[in-house]
Structures are given as structure tokens and as C-alpha cells.
Amino acid sequence: MLSQKMIDEMNLQIKLELYSAYLYLSMSAHFEAANLGGFAIWMKAQASEEQAHAMKFYEHLQDRGGKVVLQAIEQPPVDFGKPLEVFKEVLKHEESVTARIHHMYGVAVKENDYASQAFLTWFVNEQVEEEKHATQIVEWLKMAGDSTNALFMLDSVLRKRGG
């Protein structure tokens, strides 16, 4: 049985995962407008992944008898800068998600909720991957500098995530 504290934390996480999807979809639109289709595809895939994460929390709550309470999702920003600035924001966002997942894991430990600890372990590991990928792209963009050719090559690499 889930505690009310854990139910509240997971309902909040559903909202935050859906906000992440909105944020990445907004970033995708930004890249589409900038004619960087590979970057846009990468962000769309990221948005889909965040929606799937929200559903994992939804299903965990349902499976454990918790009540799902959907909350309002804020509008994400619509104006972004150059690709490096955008991916620095992605990394910062993923670091905040990691902190949130760690917080929830701590709540599960305090609540002696072993099933939620096992469930959240997947997210702990997932966040290592999320931060790794964001960091890698930030570093690639730093190496590219102001090179249009390097930017187009990176756009081509990121396009493969959708294919």
C-alpha cells in the first residue's frame, strides 16, 4: 500500500514529466523554425520519452491502489537561443529531474516502500543516461564552436535518433 506522501510525490512527478515533454516539444518547434531538423527530431523523441515516463508513474500508482490526480501543466518557454544554449538548458533541466528522482527515492526509503524503491531504481539509472547524453551534446556543440559545417554534421547525427 502506498502512503499518502508517496501518492502525492508520484502525482507531482506525473505533472513534472509531462512538463518535461512540453518543454522538449517546445524546443523541437524552436529547432524546426531554425531549419535544424535533426535537433528537432532529437527533441521530439525526448518529448515522447518523457510522456512514457509519466505513464510509468501513472501505472505504478494504479497498480498499487493509489489515486491518480492530474495537475495543471505550465506553459513552457517558447523562445530559445543557439543550440549550445538550448542544450545547456536541457542539461540543467535533466539535473533538476535527477534531484527530484533522488528526493522521491529518499521518501520511499523513509516510508519503507520497497516496491517504490525498486520502481524508482529504474529512473535513477535512466537519469544517469539522460545527463550523459545531454552533457555529450553540450560538449560536441562547444567543440563545433561557430562552424556551420560542424553544426550541420551534428544535426545529421541527432537526426538518427528518429530513424
Side-chain angles (χ1 to χ4, degrees), residues 100-112:
R100 174 85 185 121
I101 296 297
H102 290 177
H103 166 76
M104 289 179 58
Y105 192 93
V107 171
V109 168
K110 287 178 187 169
E111 300 285 325
N112 292 319

Side-chain angles (χ1 to χ4, degrees), residues 36-54:
L36 291 169
F39 284 88
I41 286 169
W42 194 94
M43 289 295 179
K44 281 181 199 170
Q46 194 68 20
S48 292
E49 193 174 287
E50 301 303 341
Q51 288 175 322
H53 293 170

